[in-house]
Every structure is written in C-alpha cells, then in structure tokens.
Amino acid sequence: QKQMVMDDSTYKHRGSALHVVKSVVANDGWSGIYRGFGLSLFTSLPAGSIWWATYAGCKDQMNAVQNTTFDSIPALGRQGIIQVSSAFSAALAASILTQPLDTIKTRLQVKGGASKVSSKSAMVVSVFKELTASSGLSGMYQGLLPRVTHMGVWGS
C-alpha cells in the first residue's frame, strides 16, 4: 500500500517491493510488516459476510422473478445478468457498510513510524478524528468506487 501512495519520482527510486520492505523493517521492525493485519481481518470478515448474504439474497430474488419476467432472454443470458447484478449489489452493500473501517486500516498501514498515541484503539480513533476533521464523514469513504468495482468484478 505504500507503493500506491508514492508519487512517480519516489516510486522510481524507492518503489520496489524489496525497498519498501527494507524501509518498513528499518523504521518499524518486523512488526511493521503486519501493521493493520488485525484491522484487515476486522474489515474483511464483515465485508465478506455482508457480500455473501447480499449476493445470495439478490440471486434468490432475481431467480424467482426471472422465470416469468424475462422469457425473451435465453436462460444462459438471464443467469449471467443475475450473477453480475447480484455481485455488484453485494459489492455496493458490503463496501458502503465497511468502507470506513477499510479507510482507517489503509491509513494505519501507510502511516510510518511510531504513533503519538499509546494503544491500537486510540490509533483508530485518532485516524478517524484526523480524517473527519480534514474531509468530513465523506473522508471515510475515500476509494469507495474502486472498492465496489473490485468486489463486483471479483464476484462476477
């Protein structure tokens, strides 16, 4: 993720994966490699649960309607439409509900060095306050469209 936030000149000189790993280990020790891992689980597990529940529900609802409403579309085409629509509906629901956690997790992973706060929960609160102070609540939804797109394409 550090590579994603580097500008072009920095990336050319210090953007290799090996250089980023060395830099993180030098600044934060080996534990720096795993910064945000707990939050990744805390974000991924709810997102996955929401995604699968929404996907299954949408697919069931659309399957119930498709037999009577879309007779002019071949069966294979109907199934494709149902799967893609269900995947993007699920991606939208999961992303909207879990994006704030993902934004905080990404911020914590990218932040370098020691934090001024003592506990992990205080770090989460600190990042939340920084983002909302600088960008309002919309700051918690930075990167929503790419995340919906990724999850929707992945699920299709």
Side-chain angles (χ1 to χ4, degrees):
Q1 299 212 339
K2 281 193 179 263
Q3 291 172 317
M4 291 171 36
V5 296
M6 288 181 178
D7 60 41
D8 288 341
S9 63
T10 304
Y11 184 80
K12 286 178 186 174
H13 295 103
R14 296 183 282 160
S16 73
L18 183 60
H19 189 277
V20 170
V21 169
K22 285 180 180 180
S23 170
V24 169
V25 171
N27 291 330
D28 303 325
W30 282 100
S31 64
I33 298 293
Y34 299 99
R35 181 185 293 126
F37 180 71
L39 275 175
S40 291
L41 290 178
F42 191 64
T43 302
S44 297
L45 294 175
S49 298
I50 293 166
W51 191 94
W52 281 108
T54 305
Y55 177 79
C58 287
K59 200 170 166 198
D60 288 347
Q61 292 296 315
M62 288 186 214
N63 275 325
V65 172
Q66 66 118 357
N67 293 328
T68 57
T69 309
F70 302 108
D71 289 338
S72 62
I73 300 173
L76 187 59
R78 285 192 306 250
Q79 282 305 313
I81 291 168
I82 288 170
Q83 287 176 338
V84 170
S85 299
S86 297
F88 276 92
S89 296
L92 187 62
S95 295
I96 286 173
L97 293 172
T98 61
Q99 183 67 25
L101 291 174
D102 194 59
T103 302
I104 290 170
K105 173 208 50 131
T106 302
R107 235 357 120 89
L108 288 172
Q109 287 174 324
V110 170
K111 246 181 168 179
S115 176
K116 294 175 187 160
V117 291
S118 57
S119 71
K120 289 180 183 180
S121 60
M123 287 172 51
V124 169
V125 170
S126 173
V127 169
F128 176 80
K129 285 179 179 178
E130 285 174 26
L131 283 169
T132 55
S134 65
S135 305
L137 281 179
S138 65
M140 300 305 294
Y141 288 90
Q142 294 173 356
L144 181 65
L145 183 60
R147 189 163 185 237
V148 169
T149 304
H150 170 77
M151 289 174 84
V153 171
W154 168 84
S156 298

